[in-house]
C-alpha cells in the first residue's frame, strides 16, 4: 500500500507516527514537505524567541523517519495532483504514485489585500522562518503593531514585548478582543491586563493602508486616523491551503477548506484531508487536538478499523505568561437555551462566566479571565456532561485550593484528559498501577499525555496526586532519593537531634550517599540553624560550588566577587579600594541591580589575596554567592531628598547589617524607600519597606526576575523596632517552612490562606511561635561572622583556594578572556 | 618523573590523602591535562575522572558535588548540574550521550596515585546546547 502525505506539519507528522505504530504489512510511506525543516511544534513556536532551537521544537528526532522507513522530502512542495493516474508531481519535477493520498497542508496566514502590505517590515506569524525574520528585524524596531486581536495576535504581541519592543499595539477589526472566545465584558478586563503589560489595543479599527516608502512607517484606518510603527505583524486569521485540491477539482468550501466527510475523505475516496486544511461540517479547526483526532480517523480507516470524526471541542486557553484567559464549550450561548452566571471583579481583573442548561444540570460553556485555574476542570465537567452542584455558582467562586482535587475524583474513568494524544483518566490511572508511574514526567513518557499542546498538564498532575493519595501513598515534597522528608520536617529533625554536619544528618535520617540536591539543602538548614561557618571541615564539600568558594562561578571557571555595600552607601575611599583591587587582579567591573559592585574574572587562587585587601579596607562578604540575604537597596531618603519622609538609607543599613549572612531556602532581597514615590522598588522585593507619614509600611513576598510579583502589604505605619520584629518573625517562619529553592513569593503562593494566614502568624501570633521566632533570629544575628575574614585568617582554609592540588598558585591555563569595551569578558562556551 | 612505569599501566602520583577534602575533589595537573580526583569518604572510596565537563567544556568537575544515584556513585558539574557516573563516566541526566573518562585510583602509604593509561586513548564526548543561569544580585 503506497501512502503519500502532502505536508510535514504537526498533523501530517502525527499521522505518520500513528500509522507507523500500526505496523501494516507492505506499507510504503512517503512525505513531502514544503518547509525546509522536519515537522516542529508550531503550538510552542513563540518559545523560539526564548531560546528554543529547532531541535527543541522538533516533533521527533530527524532519524525517526529513516529508522521507520518513511521517505521524507523536505523543501520539495507538491505542485499538482493527477487524480486519474493517481500520481503527484513535486516541485523538483519527480512524480510519485499513490494508492492513498493524505493532504495535511495546513493553512497560511490570511493576509488582507491592503495597499502597501508588501512593504519591508511586514511579517506573518506562522513558521519558524517567519519568526527568524522577525527576530532579525526586532532590534531595529521601536514600535510594533499586530493586526488581529485573536489568540494568535495576542501571543504575537506578547512576543514583540519579549523581544524588547516596549511600545506594542494590537489592532482588531471587531469591537472586542478574541472575538471568537470572549464576550464584551471579558474583553474589557483582558484589555486592562494587556495595557498593564504595555500592549495598547485599538478595537473597531479597519486598516485600509500600510504607510511608508519601502519600509513600513505605520498604518491608516478607515476613519482617517493613523498609527505609526516600524514593524507590522499580520495575524488576521488563517486561510486553509486548498489550492492543490482546487486545481484537481476536489470540492472546497466557499471560504476555503477541502470538504471532507466523517472519515476525512474528500470527494475522491482515495484522497483524505486532515488538519487545518480540512473543512468538516462547515468548520475549519484551527487547533492541533482536532487535527490529531482527524489523523487518528484516517489511520483507523486505512488499517481497516472504524472510527469517525464527529466534530471537536474548541475550548482554548491563551498561552500568555501572567494572563489567564480561557473559554470552553459554547462561551456565548444564552437566551432561551441557557442560563448564565457572571462573576466580575474589576478591581482584581477577574471575570468568569458559565452557561448551563435551564434546569441547572449541565454545563454548556464559559469564559475565564484573570483566573483560569479551574479551566481544565470546568472543561471536563462540560465535556463529560457531569452533574453540576446544586448551586452552579460554586463552580466559579469556590476558593481554588482543594476544589480541583475534589473535582478530579468526580471525573468518570473515560473522561478525555489529554485531547491531543487521546488519553483518558483511566489510561493515566492504569499507567500508575500497571507501570508504576509516580511522577508527571513518567506519566508523560508512558502515556504521552501532555506532550501535545501541554494544556492538560495541571490536570494530569492533579489526577496523579489524587490517585496516589487514594492509594494511601502519602505524597510529600520529599527532598530526593536520599531523604524521605520534606525540607520542613528535616529542619525540625536536625534541630531536635542537634546534628551539625551533613554525614551525621545523612546517617541519621537518610540513605545512600547524598547528591547535588540534598547536600545544599542540608547545608542551608545547618547554616540557618547553627550559623557555623559554611566552610567548616565536614561541611564545605556539601556546599554548592558558589558557597564552597564563597564567590560566584562564571563562564570559564573564574569567579566573581561582590563586597557588601550596605544600603548602597559607600565612601569615596572605599570606592577607590575596589577600583584598585579590580585593577590589580585584572577584573571586569559592573554595578549590580542591588546597588553594589561586582568584580568578575577572578582566578580561584586570587580570591584570598583580593579579600585580604578588601577586608583591610573594611569590606566584608556580600554573600552574592549564597542563598542568603543579598542587598537592602535604598533611595537617598530624607537626608537629601526633598520628598523623603524618613532616613531610608540609615534604616536600610540597619536592616542589611542585621540580616547579613542569613542562610535561607533561597536568596532574599530587600529595599527601603523614603516615600511613596518608591524609588528603591521595595514592592518587588522579598520584603520591602516604604516610609509613611506615621512610620513604615512593610510589604512581603514580592519578586522581580522572570516571574515578577508585587509584594503584599503585611502591616502599616510601624515604628522602626516593631517593623524589625515583624521581619524577624517573617524571615524565620520562611526559613523554617519553605520548600528548597522556593523564593518567598512562591512560598506564599503555595500557602493555604495566603497573605491573611501569614499576617495572622506574623502579626497576630496565631501559632504562638513569635517569641521563639524572634529568639532564633536574634541568635543568628549574634553569631554572625564574615566568612571571608575567617578564610583570610586561616592558612588551612586558604589552601583550598587553589586550582591544582599538585601545583598550588598555578592558574588554570584553560581560562580565556576576550576584550569588550576596554574590559575583559569570558570567552564564549 | 612523576610517572611510575608499572608493567602494563602507568600510575601517576597525584598528592597525599590529606590534600583531598572528605567527600569532595581536587584538580590534579597531569602535564597538559587536568584530572579530577575525589575522596568519597562516606563510601570510603577514591575516584578520578576528566576535569573537563563535556557539556560546556568547563574545567570544573573537580569542584562538583559528590552523590549517589540508586547506589551508583556520581559527581555533579557545578555549572549546570549535569551528573556523571564515577564508575563509567556516562552522563546520568541528559539524553545526549555525554560522557567523561574515569581513571583507576590507588592509595599507598598515604599517597594517592591515578592510573592515566586511558589518557592516551582517543575519546570523544558529545556536546549539547541550552543553559540556564540565575545571575541577578
Ligand atoms: C504561533 C502559533 C501558536 C499556536 N498556538 C496554538 C495553541 O495554543 N493550541 C492549538 O491547539 N493550536 C495552536 N496553533 C495552531 C496549530 O499550530 C495548528 O492547528 C497546527 O499546526 C495545524 O497542523 P497542520 O499539520 O494542519 O498544519 P501545519 O502545521 O501548518 O502544517 C502544514 C504543512 O504543510 C506544508 N505544505 C503546505 N502545502 C504543501 C504542499 N503543496 N506540498 C508540501 N507541503 C505543503 C506547509 O508548509 C506546512 O509545513 C498555533 C499556531 C501558531 C502559528
Ligand atoms: S558545563 Fe558542566 S553541566 Fe554545563
Amino acid at each position: 500500500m503506497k501512502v503519500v502525505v502532502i505536508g510535514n506539519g504537526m498533523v501530517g507528522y502525527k499521522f505518520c507516527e500513528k500509522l507507523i505504530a500500526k505496523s501494516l504489512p507492505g506499507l510504503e510511506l512517503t512525505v513531502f514537505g514544503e518547509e525546509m525543516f522536519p515537522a516542529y511544534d508550531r503550538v510552542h513556536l513563540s518559545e523560539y524567541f526564548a531560546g528554543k532551537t529547532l531541535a527543541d521544537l522538533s516533533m521527533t528526532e530527524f532519524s525517526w523517519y529513516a529508522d521507520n522507513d518513511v521517505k521524507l522530502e523536505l523543501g520539495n512542495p507538491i505542485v499538482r495532483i493527477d487524480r486519474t493516474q493517481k500520481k503527484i508531481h513535486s516541485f523538483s519535477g519527480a512524480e510519485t504514485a499513490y494508492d492513498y493520498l493524505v493532504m495535511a497542508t495546513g493553512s497560511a496566514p490570511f493576509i488582507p489585500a491592503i495597499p502597501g502590505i508588501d512593504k519591508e517590515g511586514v511579517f506573518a506569524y506562522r513558521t519558524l522562518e517567519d519568526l527568524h525574520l522577525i527576530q532579525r528585524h526586532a532590534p531595529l524596531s521601536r514600535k510594533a503593531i499586530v493586526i488581529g486581536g485573536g489568540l494568535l495576535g495576542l501571543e504575537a504581541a506578547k512576543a514583540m514585548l519579549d523581544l524588547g519592543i516596549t511600545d506594542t499595539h494590537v489592532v482588531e477589526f471587531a469591537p472586542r478582543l478574541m472575538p471568537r472566545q470572549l464576550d464584551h465584558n471579558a474583553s474589557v478586563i483582558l484589555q486592562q491586563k494587556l495595557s498593564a503589560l504595555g500592549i495598547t489595543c485599538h478595537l473597531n479599527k479597519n486598516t485600509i493602508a500600510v504607510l511608508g516608502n519601502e519600509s513600513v512607517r505605520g498604518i491608516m484606518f478607515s476613519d482617517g486616523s493613523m498609527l505609526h510603527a516600524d514593524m507590522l505583524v499580520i495575524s488576521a486569521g488563517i486561510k486553509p491551503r486548498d489550492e492543490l485540491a482546487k486545481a484537481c477539482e476536489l470540492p472546497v468550501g466557499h471560504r476555503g477548506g477541502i470538504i471532507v466527510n466523517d472519515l476525512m475523505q474528500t470527494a475522491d475516496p482515495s484522497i483524505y484531508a486532515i488538519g487545518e486544511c480540512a473543512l468538516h461540517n462547515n468548520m475549519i479547526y484551527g487547533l492541533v487536538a482536532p487535527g490529531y483526532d482527524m489523523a487518528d480517523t484516517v489511520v483507523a480507516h486505512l488499517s481497516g478499523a472504524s472510527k469517525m470524526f464527529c466534530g471537536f471541542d474548541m475550548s482554548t486557553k491563551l498561552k500568555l505568561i501572567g494572563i489567564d484567559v480561557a473559554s470552553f464549550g459554547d462561551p456565548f450561548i444564552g437566551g432561551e437555551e441557557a442560563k448564565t452566571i457572571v462573576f466580575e471583579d474589576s478591581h482584581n481583573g477577574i471575570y468568569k462566566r458559565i452557561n448551563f442548561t435551564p434546569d441547572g444540570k449541565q454545563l454548556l460553556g464559559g469564559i475565564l479571565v484573570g483566573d483560569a485555574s479551574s479551566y481544565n476542570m470546568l472543561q471536563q465537567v462540560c465535556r463529560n456532561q457531569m452533574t453540576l452542584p446544586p448551586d452552579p455558582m460554586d463552580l466559579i467562586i469556590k476558593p481554588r485550593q482543594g476544589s480541583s482535587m475534589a473535582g478530579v475524583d468526580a471525573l468518570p474513568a473515560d473522561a478525555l484528559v489529554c485531547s491531543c494524544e487521546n488519553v483518558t483518566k483511566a489510561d493515566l490511572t492504569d499507567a500508575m498501577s500497571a507501570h508504576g508511574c509516580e511522577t508527571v514526567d513518567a506519566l508523560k513518557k508512558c502515556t504521552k499525555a501532555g506532550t501535545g499542546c501541554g494544556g492538560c498538564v495541571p490536570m494530569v498532575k492533579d489526577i496523579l496526586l489524587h490517585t496516589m493519595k487514594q492509594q494511601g501513598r502519602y505524597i510529600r515534597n520529599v527532598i530526593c532519593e536520599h531523604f524521605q522528608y520534606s525540607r520542613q520536617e528535616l529542619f525540625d529533625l536536625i534541630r531536635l537531634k542537634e546534628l551539625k554536619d551533613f554525614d551525621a544528618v545523612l546517617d541519621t535520617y537518610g540513605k545512600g550517599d547524598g547528591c547535588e540536591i540534598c547536600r545544599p539543602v542540608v547545608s542551608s538548614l545547618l547554616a540557618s540553624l547553627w550559623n557555623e561557618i559554611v566552610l567548616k571541615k565536614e561541611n564545605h564539600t556539601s556546599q554548592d560550588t558558589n558557597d564552597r568558594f564563597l564567590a560566584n562561578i562564571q563562564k570559564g571557571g573564574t569567579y566573581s566577587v561582590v563586597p557588601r555595600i550596605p544600603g548602597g552607601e559607600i565612601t569615596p575611599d572605599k570606592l577607590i579600594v575596589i577600583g584598585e583591587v579590580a585593577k590589580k587582579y585584572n577584573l571586569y567591573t559592573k554595578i549590580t541591580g542591588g546597588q553594589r559592585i561586582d568584580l568578575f574574572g577572578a582566578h580561584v587562587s586570587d580570591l584570598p589575596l583580593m579579600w585580604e585587601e578588601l577586608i583591610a579596607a573594611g569590606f566584608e562578604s556580600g554573600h552574592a554567592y549564597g542563598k542568603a540575604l543579598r542587598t537592602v537597596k535604598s533611595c537617598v531618603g530624607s537626608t537629601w531628598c526633598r520628598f523623603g519622609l524618613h532616613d531610608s538609607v540609615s534604616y536600610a543599613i540597619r536592616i542589611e547589617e542585621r540580616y547579613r549572612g542569613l542562610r535561607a531556602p533561597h536568596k532574599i532581597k530587600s529595599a527601603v524607600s523614603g516615600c511613596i514615590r518608591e524609588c528603591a522598588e521595595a514592592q518587588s522585593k522579598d520584603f520591602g519597606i516604604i516610609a509613611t507619614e506615621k512610620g513604615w509600611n512593610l510589604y512581603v513576598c514580592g519578586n522581580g526576575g522572570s516571574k515578577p510579583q508585587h509584594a503584599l502589604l503585611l502591616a502599616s505605619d510601624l515604628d522602626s523596632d516593631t517593623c524589625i520584629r515583624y521581619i524577624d518573625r517573617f524571615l524565620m517562619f520562611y526559613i523554617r517552612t519553605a520548600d528548597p529553592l522556593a523564593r518567598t513569593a512562591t512560598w506564599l503562593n503555595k500557602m493555604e490562606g495566603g497573605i491573611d494566614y501569614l499576617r495572622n502568624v506574623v502579626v497576630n501570633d496565631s501559632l504562638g511561635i513569635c517569641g521563639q521566632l524572634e529568639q532564633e533570629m536574634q541568635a543568628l544575628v549574634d553569631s554572625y561572622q564574615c566568612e571571608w575574614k575567617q578564610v583570610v585568617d586561616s592558612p588551612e582554609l586558604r589552601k583550598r583556594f587553589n586550582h591544582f592540588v599538585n601545583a598550588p598558585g598555578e592558574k588554570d591555563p584553560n581560562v580565556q578572556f576576550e576584550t569588550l569595551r576596554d574590559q575583559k569578558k569570558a570567552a564564549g562556551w | 618523573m612523576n610517572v611510575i612505569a608499572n608493567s602494563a599501566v602507568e600510575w601517576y602520583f597525584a598528592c597525599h590523602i590529606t590534600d583531598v577534602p572528605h567527600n569532595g575533589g581536587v584538580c590534579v595537573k597531569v602535564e597538559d591535562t587536568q584530572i579530577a580526583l575525589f575522596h568519597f569518604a562516606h563510601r570510603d572510596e577514591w575516584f578520578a575522572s576528566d576535569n573537563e565537563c563535556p557539556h560546556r567544556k568547563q574545567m570544573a568537575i573537580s569542584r562538583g558535588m559528590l552523590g549517589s544515584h540508586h547506589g551508583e556513585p556520581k559527581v555533579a558539574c557545578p555549572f549546570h548540574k549535569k551528573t556523571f557516573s564515577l564508575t563509567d563516566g556516562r552522563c546520568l541526566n541528559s539524553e545526549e550521550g555525554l560522557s567523561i573518562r574515569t581513571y583507576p585510583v590507588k592509595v599507598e602509604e598515604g599517597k594517592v596515585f591515578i592510573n592515566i593509561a586511558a589518557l592516551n586513548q582517543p575519546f570523544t564526548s558529545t556536546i549539547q546546547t541550552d543553559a540556564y543561569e540565575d545571575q541577578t544580585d
Side-chain angles (χ1 to χ4, degrees):
Chain A
M1 178 167 69
K2 291 195 182 83
V3 179
V4 175
V5 182
I6 311 182
N8 187 225
M10 296 186 79
V11 174
Y13 165 74
K14 189 55 67 174
F15 169 79
C16 295
E17 185 192 284
K18 287 177 189 259
L19 188 62
I20 291 297
K22 294 275 178 222
S23 325
L24 301 181
L27 174 71
E28 277 176 46
L29 183 55
T30 311
V31 185
F32 288 87
E34 172 189 64
E35 292 186 69
M36 298 307 296
F37 319 109
Y40 53 85
D41 181 355
R42 208 179 295 287
V43 169
H44 295 103
L45 191 60
S46 296
E47 292 171 22
Y48 176 72
F49 292 139
K52 286 243 169 130
T53 60
L54 174 63
D56 298 325
L57 291 172
S58 274
M59 303 285 293
T60 178
E61 307 272 307
F62 191 55
S63 58
W64 181 88
Y65 298 93
D67 293 348
N68 290 287
D69 285 329
V70 179
K71 227 174 119 208
L72 175 65
E73 297 216 15
L74 292 174
N76 191 11
I78 298 307
V79 291
R80 195 162 71 81
I81 302 173
D82 184 343
R83 284 169 50 197
T84 31
Q85 304 239 7
K86 287 193 148 192
K87 274 183 184 156
I88 53 169
H89 298 259
S90 74
F91 182 75
S92 69
E95 44 173 72
T96 309
Y98 65 84
D99 297 319
Y100 292 101
L101 183 63
V102 178
M103 304 188 67
T105 48
S107 65
F110 168 66
I111 309 286
I114 305 171
I117 198 93
D118 52 354
K119 288 193 200 307
E120 225 172 85
V122 183
F123 302 94
Y125 201 83
R126 173 94 196 162
T127 64
L128 258 179
E129 182 67 24
D130 292 335
L131 268 68
H132 181 66
L133 294 175
I134 290 175
Q135 194 176 36
R136 275 209 332 221
H137 186 82
L140 312 171
S141 170
R142 278 190 295 163
K143 187 168 170 184
I145 301 175
V146 176
I147 295 191
L151 270 174
L152 203 59
L154 296 182
E155 189 175 324
K158 177 67 172 29
M160 296 305 110
L161 280 188
D162 294 342
L163 283 172
I165 307 173
T166 43
D167 196 3
T168 294
H169 296 252
V170 169
V171 170
E172 169 58 49
F173 179 73
R176 57 179 197 267
L177 292 170
M178 296 178 56
R180 283 159 64 102
Q181 288 87 16
L182 302 186
D183 59 16
H184 174 76
N185 294 13
S187 162
V188 170
I189 291 205
L190 175 58
Q191 206 179 328
Q192 285 165 3
K193 296 200 167 271
L194 290 170
S195 111
L197 279 185
I199 299 174
T200 316
C201 300
H202 308 262
L203 304 176
N204 258 326
K205 290 284 189 188
N206 185 8
T207 308
I208 55 163
V210 178
L211 309 171
N213 294 326
E214 262 170 38
S215 326
V216 57
R217 299 288 303 278
I219 53 177
M220 189 197 251
F221 301 121
S222 55
D223 59 10
S225 62
M226 287 186 283
L227 186 61
H228 291 285
D230 42 26
M231 180 160 170
L232 185 62
V233 176
I234 309 287
S235 174
I238 55 173
K239 204 174 74 210
R241 298 276 304 262
D242 57 8
E243 63 273 9
L244 284 177
K246 238 189 234 162
C248 67
E249 293 178 339
L250 287 172
V252 297
H254 69 277
R255 295 186 55 209
I258 309 166
I259 295 177
V260 291
N261 60 16
D262 288 351
L263 297 169
M264 305 317 290
Q265 276 168 322
T266 64
D268 180 335
S270 45
I271 303 183
Y272 298 85
I274 55 177
E276 282 189 357
C277 63
L279 185 69
H280 176 263
N281 227 341
N282 246 324
M283 273 283 279
I284 292 286
Y285 289 89
L287 295 175
V288 60
Y292 285 3
D293 198 40
M294 295 175 184
D296 220 23
T297 309
V298 178
V299 167
H301 202 220
L302 290 181
S303 48
S306 70
K307 172 178 178 343
M308 298 221 261
F309 178 79
C310 353
F312 212 86
D313 179 23
M314 287 293 273
S315 307
T316 34
K317 196 168 165 192
L318 186 65
K319 302 189 300 270
L320 294 194
I321 300 171
I323 298 196
D324 268 11
V325 178
S327 81
F328 56 93
D330 187 337
F332 304 119
I333 191 168
E336 302 266 291
E337 300 161 281
K339 284 191 180 156
T340 291
I341 294 180
V342 171
F343 169 82
E344 191 168 347
D345 169 358
S346 57
H347 175 58
N348 290 310
I350 295 174
Y351 177 85
K352 296 180 182 185
R353 164 180 175 159
I354 46 170
N355 312 315
F356 46 91
T357 48
D359 60 8
K361 291 242 163 73
Q362 272 173 29
L363 190 60
L364 297 171
I367 298 172
L368 302 167
V369 179
D371 170 15
S373 52
S374 47
Y375 165 69
N376 286 28
M377 196 59 219
L378 289 178
Q379 191 197 352
Q380 289 292 348
V381 171
C382 184
R383 191 162 32 190
N384 294 299
Q385 308 191 339
M386 286 157 63
T387 316
L388 298 187
D391 186 355
M393 182 142 83
D394 289 350
L395 286 174
I396 49 173
I397 59 161
K398 268 269 172 67
R400 43 179 145 165
Q401 265 106 11
S403 62
S404 69
M405 286 294 276
V408 246
D409 195 25
L411 275 187
D414 61 353
L416 191 61
V417 175
C418 172
S419 39
C420 293
E421 294 292 342
N422 237 324
V423 184
T424 61
K425 181 182 170 192
D427 294 336
L428 292 170
T429 45
D430 286 353
M432 293 180 64
S433 47
H435 301 283
C437 297
E438 288 192 349
T439 62
V440 173
D441 277 344
L443 280 177
K444 273 180 163 178
K445 246 190 196 149
C446 184
T447 64
K448 287 198 149 191
T451 57
C453 72
C456 63
V457 173
M459 175 145 275
V460 171
K461 192 170 173 199
D462 276 355
I463 291 179
L464 175 86
L465 294 181
H466 185 77
T467 314
M468 302 239 318
K469 243 189 189 164
Q470 251 181 352
Q471 297 170 348
R473 279 187 279 172
Y474 177 43
I475 345 128
R476 291 167 306 180
N477 280 331
V478 301
I479 295 171
C480 65
E481 66 172 78
H482 306 106
F483 287 98
Q484 293 300 306
Y485 296 100
S486 69
R487 182 184 174 279
Q488 183 175 358
E489 288 165 333
L490 206 54
F491 182 96
D492 295 334
L493 293 171
I494 295 175
R495 180 169 50 186
L496 196 75
K497 287 253 165 124
E498 293 192 23
L499 302 174
K500 296 283 172 81
D501 63 74
F502 179 82
D503 278 1
V505 178
L506 182 66
D507 294 337
T508 316
Y509 293 113
K511 57 169 196 261
D513 304 291
C515 68
E516 73 284 359
I517 298 169
C518 58
R519 280 182 192 272
V521 171
V522 171
S523 301
S524 155
L525 289 176
L526 291 169
S528 296
L529 275 164
W530 317 122
N531 213 13
E532 295 179 327
I533 174 168
V534 293
L535 292 193
K536 202 175 94 169
K537 188 160 170 285
E538 299 81 15
N539 284 338
H540 91 279
T541 49
S542 291
Q543 308 287 353
D544 253 323
T545 189
N546 286 353
D547 265 317
R548 185 167 161 198
F549 293 98
L550 303 176
N552 297 44
I553 197 165
Q554 303 290 0
K555 258 184 183 175
T558 60
Y559 288 86
S560 69
V561 165
V562 190
R564 187 169 295 291
I565 301 179
E569 181 186 86
I570 186 164
T571 62
D573 282 337
K574 279 185 148 183
L575 265 181
I576 290 170
V577 172
I578 290 190
E580 280 169 347
V581 168
K583 222 169 175 171
K584 179 160 167 192
Y585 296 93
N586 183 24
L587 306 174
Y588 166 84
T589 51
K590 179 161 190 328
I591 314 273
T592 73
Q595 298 188 333
R596 43 196 198 167
I597 300 170
D598 207 340
L599 311 168
F600 290 81
H603 284 275
V604 69
S605 50
D606 283 343
L607 292 172
L609 302 170
M610 289 165 51
W611 273 106
E612 198 160 11
E613 295 182 33
L614 289 168
I615 286 169
F619 284 103
E620 54 182 6
S621 170
H623 298 96
Y625 45 81
K627 308 289 179 227
L629 178 82
R630 295 289 171 86
T631 66
V632 182
K633 191 174 168 182
S634 71
C635 70
V636 73
S638 59
T639 47
W640 293 91
C641 174
R642 66 203 159 100
F643 299 113
L645 295 170
H646 310 308
D647 180 359
S648 44
V649 180
S650 298
Y651 199 44
I653 294 175
R654 178 173 168 199
I655 292 174
E656 183 156 347
E657 290 187 338
R658 181 169 181 81
Y659 303 115
R660 64 191 165 185
L662 178 71
R663 290 302 202 281
H666 210 309
K667 62 184 170 193
I668 307 171
K669 300 179 184 186
S670 175
V672 182
S673 278
C675 76
I676 194 65
R677 282 166 195 76
E678 241 285 65
C679 297
E681 297 166 325
Q683 287 167 98
S684 66
K685 305 298 182 196
D686 294 281
F687 63 99
I689 297 147
I690 303 177
T692 66
E693 297 282 348
K694 295 183 204 143
W696 306 101
N697 278 358
L698 176 58
Y699 294 82
V700 294
C701 302
N703 202 0
S706 59
K707 261 189 144 182
Q709 182 166 323
H710 273 141
L712 299 174
L713 183 65
L714 186 76
S716 31
D717 296 329
L718 304 170
D719 62 71
S720 300
D721 291 342
T722 310
C723 185
I724 283 186
R725 284 218 325 274
Y726 285 180
I727 300 171
D728 278 1
R729 298 170 182 182
F730 162 73
L731 287 177
M732 219 47 232
F733 188 52
Y734 163 62
I735 289 172
R736 273 195 188 186
T737 60
D739 280 338
L741 299 181
R743 289 288 296 271
T744 54
T746 321
W747 171 65
L748 180 68
N749 293 346
K750 283 195 189 160
M751 191 181 291
E752 258 181 76
I755 184 74
D756 294 328
Y757 176 78
L758 182 63
R759 189 179 297 113
N760 255 332
V761 174
V762 171
V763 178
N764 306 330
D765 198 7
S766 59
L767 301 180
I769 54 171
C770 285
Q772 201 183 353
L773 294 176
E774 285 174 32
Q775 243 173 28
E776 284 171 4
M777 181 59 85
Q778 192 57 45
L780 292 179
V781 171
D782 293 341
S783 57
Y784 165 81
Q785 297 176 53
C786 171
E787 289 146 6
W788 266 113
K789 182 152 190 333
Q790 292 171 309
V791 172
V792 166
D793 293 344
S794 152
E796 187 54 34
L797 289 177
R798 281 179 83 136
K799 223 179 93 185
R800 296 195 198 139
F801 291 81
N802 273 308
H803 184 73
F804 293 115
V805 65
N806 54 347
E810 200 171 306
K811 293 176 176 155
D812 179 2
N814 286 57
V815 170
Q816 277 175 6
F817 300 109
E818 291 161 5
T819 307
L820 181 69
R821 288 183 296 278
D822 301 331
Q823 290 206 69
K824 71 177 182 185
K825 76 177 189 68
W829 309 107
Chain B
M1 212 191 87
N2 269 319
V3 182
I4 302 168
N6 181 341
S7 56
V9 292
E10 300 167 66
W11 289 101
Y12 187 90
F13 167 61
C15 58
H16 295 273
I17 47 172
T18 46
D19 293 332
V20 187
H22 278 204
N23 299 311
V26 292
C27 169
V28 181
K29 186 176 148 111
V30 181
E31 274 125 48
D32 290 340
T33 45
Q34 304 187 9
I35 292 185
L37 171 68
F38 302 98
H39 183 195
F40 208 154
H42 194 252
R43 302 169 66 98
D44 197 16
E45 285 182 293
W46 288 78
F47 298 99
S49 75
D50 288 333
N51 192 33
E52 185 181 76
C53 175
H55 172 228
R56 292 292 189 188
K57 300 252 173 262
Q58 300 291 305
M59 284 295 183
I61 294 291
S62 60
R63 299 181 207 169
M65 233 180 269
L66 295 181
S68 64
H69 176 66
H70 301 308
E72 186 170 358
K74 64 172 186 176
V75 58
C77 172
F79 274 89
H80 315 95
K81 301 271 160 74
K82 299 276 174 214
T83 56
F84 299 91
S85 158
L86 286 170
T87 358
D88 61 11
R90 76 186 193 290
C91 184
L92 300 170
N93 59 353
S94 89
E95 281 153 21
E96 319 296 316
L98 296 173
S99 63
I100 54 177
R101 279 178 294 197
T102 55
Y103 307 88
V105 181
K106 70 174 180 188
V107 178
E108 276 170 9
E109 292 162 6
K111 290 179 175 172
V112 190
F113 299 88
I114 304 173
N115 184 323
I116 55 169
L119 259 185
N120 303 319
Q121 283 150 26
F123 174 77
T124 43
S125 56
T126 332
I127 305 174
Q128 73 154 46
T129 48
D130 222 358
Y132 171 76
E133 273 173 90
D134 181 1
Q135 283 287 8
T136 55
D137 180 32

